[in-house]
């Protein structure tokens, strides 16, 4: 917890946790009691930085937290995101990009076993991905049909306009 307190202190000072500060230099990385493995204060990211880095809004990050997809450390009202949170957000954004629901994404993320092979998680990802591929292929076929119909309509309207008499248009 000490590392979070130091991070909050740096935040209050307006410092974005520089790696260069003496208390966070590599030779002092393990000195804080209760540190997460490999996560010292310099490795936490505040919500604004996280939003900028991933091109999302603060509201989106808070929404993902409310839905249980992200669980940043809290120090008062300050949210501090770890490397794990960043990885989870990458997976959330990829899942959203390929059309997975938030429930699907949460289900997959919650199956992660940090010390395991994650076979069940990978099987679930494969199953959901195959289903999504079928959905997307159907959508693509539907879009292709719509584009074809639209091209036909554009051609017909253009032909009618080309054949229209300028005198009739003026009246």
């Amino acid at each position: 917890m000490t590392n979070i307190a130091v991070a909050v202190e740096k935040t209050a000072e307006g410092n974005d946790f520089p790696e260069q500060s003496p208390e966070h230099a590599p030779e002092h990385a393990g000195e804080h009691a209760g540190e997460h493995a490999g996560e010292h204060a310099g490795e936490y990211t505040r919500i604004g930085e996280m939003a900028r880095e991933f091109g999302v809004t603060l509201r989106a990050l808070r929404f993902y937290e409310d839905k249980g997809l992200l669980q940043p450390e809290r120090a008062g009202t300050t949210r501090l995101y770890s490397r794990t949170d960043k990885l989870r957000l990458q997976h959330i954004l990829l899942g959203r990009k390929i059309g997975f629901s938030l429930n699907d994404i949460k289900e997959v993320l919650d199956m992660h076993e940090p010390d395991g092979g994650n076979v069940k998680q990978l099987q679930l990802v494969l199953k959901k991905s195959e289903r999504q591929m079928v959905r997307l292929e159907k959508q693509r076929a539907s879009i292709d049909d719509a584009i074809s119909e639209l091209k036909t309509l554009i051609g017909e309207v253009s032909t009618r306009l080309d054949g229209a008499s300028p005198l009739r248009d003026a009246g």
Side-chain angles (χ1 to χ4, degrees):
M1 199 57 145
T2 304
N3 58 337
I4 295 172
V6 171
V8 171
E9 185 178 308
K10 293 293 179 192
T11 300
E13 295 170 4
N15 187 327
D16 289 344
F17 316 128
E19 297 282 334
Q20 273 54 338
S21 64
E23 66 268 27
H24 301 299
E27 65 270 13
H28 296 93
E31 290 181 10
H32 300 291
E35 282 189 13
H36 297 288
E39 290 185 2
H40 59 297
E43 294 176 357
Y44 281 96
T45 303
R46 295 182 301 166
I47 191 168
E49 298 166 60
M50 188 83 155
R52 278 188 299 279
E53 183 176 337
F54 289 93
V56 298
T57 63
L58 301 177
R59 184 177 180 184
L61 290 172
R62 289 189 292 265
F63 177 76
Y64 293 146
E65 184 180 351
D66 289 344
K67 295 296 180 184
L69 292 160
L70 292 175
Q71 296 151 355
E73 297 283 341
R74 298 292 289 257
T77 59
T78 303
R79 288 173 172 85
L80 300 171
Y81 295 88
S82 67
R83 287 181 181 177
T84 301
D85 294 315
K86 286 183 175 189
L87 282 172
R88 286 180 69 94
L89 183 56
Q90 285 176 338
H91 289 118
I92 292 165
L93 296 175
L94 173 62
R96 295 301 294 154
K97 183 176 183 179
I98 61 177
F100 284 175
S101 70
L102 289 179
N103 288 335
D104 285 343
I105 295 168
K106 183 169 180 9
E107 184 180 359
V108 168
L109 290 176
D110 288 349
M111 289 184 76
H112 181 72
E113 298 173 17
D115 299 327
N118 294 302
V119 172
K120 288 182 180 179
Q121 182 189 35
L122 294 173
Q123 289 170 336
L124 181 63
V125 168
L126 180 61
K127 179 181 167 185
K128 289 184 180 296
S129 295
E130 289 170 342
R131 271 196 220 140
Q132 185 62 11
M133 181 65 78
V134 170
R135 281 188 211 113
L136 290 174
E137 286 173 346
K138 286 180 181 176
Q139 284 179 344
R140 180 171 49 194
S142 180
I143 289 170
D144 288 343
D145 288 345
I147 288 172
S148 177
E149 293 291 332
L150 194 53
K151 284 180 178 179
T152 301
L153 177 63
I154 289 170
E156 290 172 0
V157 170
S158 293
T159 300
R160 287 185 71 188
L161 285 173
D162 289 344
S165 163
L167 293 176
R168 269 190 281 159
D169 291 342

